[in-house]
Amino acid sequence: MDLSPTPAGWDYAGALAAVKARVHVAEAASGRAGSGVRVLVATKTWDADAAVAVVRAGGVLVGESRMQELDAKGAELTAAGARIHVIGQLQRNKVATAVEWAQCIQTVDSARLAERISRLCVDAGRTMEVMLQVNVSGEESKAGVEPDEALAVASMIASLPALTVTGFMTIGLNSRDENAVREGYARLREIRDQALIRSERGTLPLAQAWELSMGMSQDLEWAVAEGATMVRVGTAVMGSRTAA
Ligand SMILES: *Cc1c(COP(=O)(O)O)cnc(C)c1O
């Protein structure tokens, strides 16, 4: 495990404010001013000092990808007041680490994984927020359930003890083609809208699944325009690792 140290003199508060300004402009530009899109800072690959520095600067919502790293940083992040979301693919044999430190696992992509999370949460006497990761770009390399299966899988997960399905997450198409990227984000929003509408009618158990975690440093404006409630930002807040 090779974690990056805090770059000397890096202005976390300034970088975070700049990203929040981008989010506010994007909200306003898409008729969503004041809708409260939250910024999750991807602290993965950064060491505990760097991660704690951004939490102290106001970035309390943080994302970690690798459970070995989370084991190393979890105590310090938690003591600093962070709320930790798992944003990387979670292996079944690493679920215990997530259950120890995370408030939310955004990358649940099967009922089988959810069953294991549920069981360990019941054993630990705690509850867990989960999001269903959906592969909206259709790329084979990407994790996530197929869009057509999302509501069925999410409903199955919602029936498990100790879990609350809070919404849907996707990693967008890695492309500068705005239409193609936004098409994927719109697809995730349609899935979320169906979850809420059908839950209101009593035909699905997903009334709390309103979150849309989508958009990263390079495309957060497009994600906000398509309804993101949370964007996940790494480099734009933490700096670039080569600069360290
Ligand atoms: C690292 C990461 C991000 C942030 O990526 P940047 O391009 O650095 O903003 C967002 N989402 C996930 C799932 C990540 O792993």
Side-chain angles (χ1 to χ4, degrees), residues 42 44 65 87 169 171 216-217 232-235:
K44 57 139 193 262
S65 297
I87 59 169
M169 175 270 199
I171 298 172
M216 319 208 289
S217 294
R232 306 179 308 266
V233 177
T235 45

Side-chain angles (χ1 to χ4, degrees), residues 40-45 63-65 86-89 106-107 133 169-171 213 215-218 231-237 239 241:
L40 174 142
V41 181
T43 46
K44 57 139 193 262
T45 76
E64 288 287 337
S65 297
V86 172
I87 59 169
Q89 195 156 24
Q106 296 199 4
T107 44
Q133 183 172 0
M169 175 270 199
T170 198
I171 298 172
S213 172
M216 319 208 289
S217 294
Q218 63 163 4
V231 294
R232 306 179 308 266
V233 177
T235 45
V237 171
R241 276 168 278 279

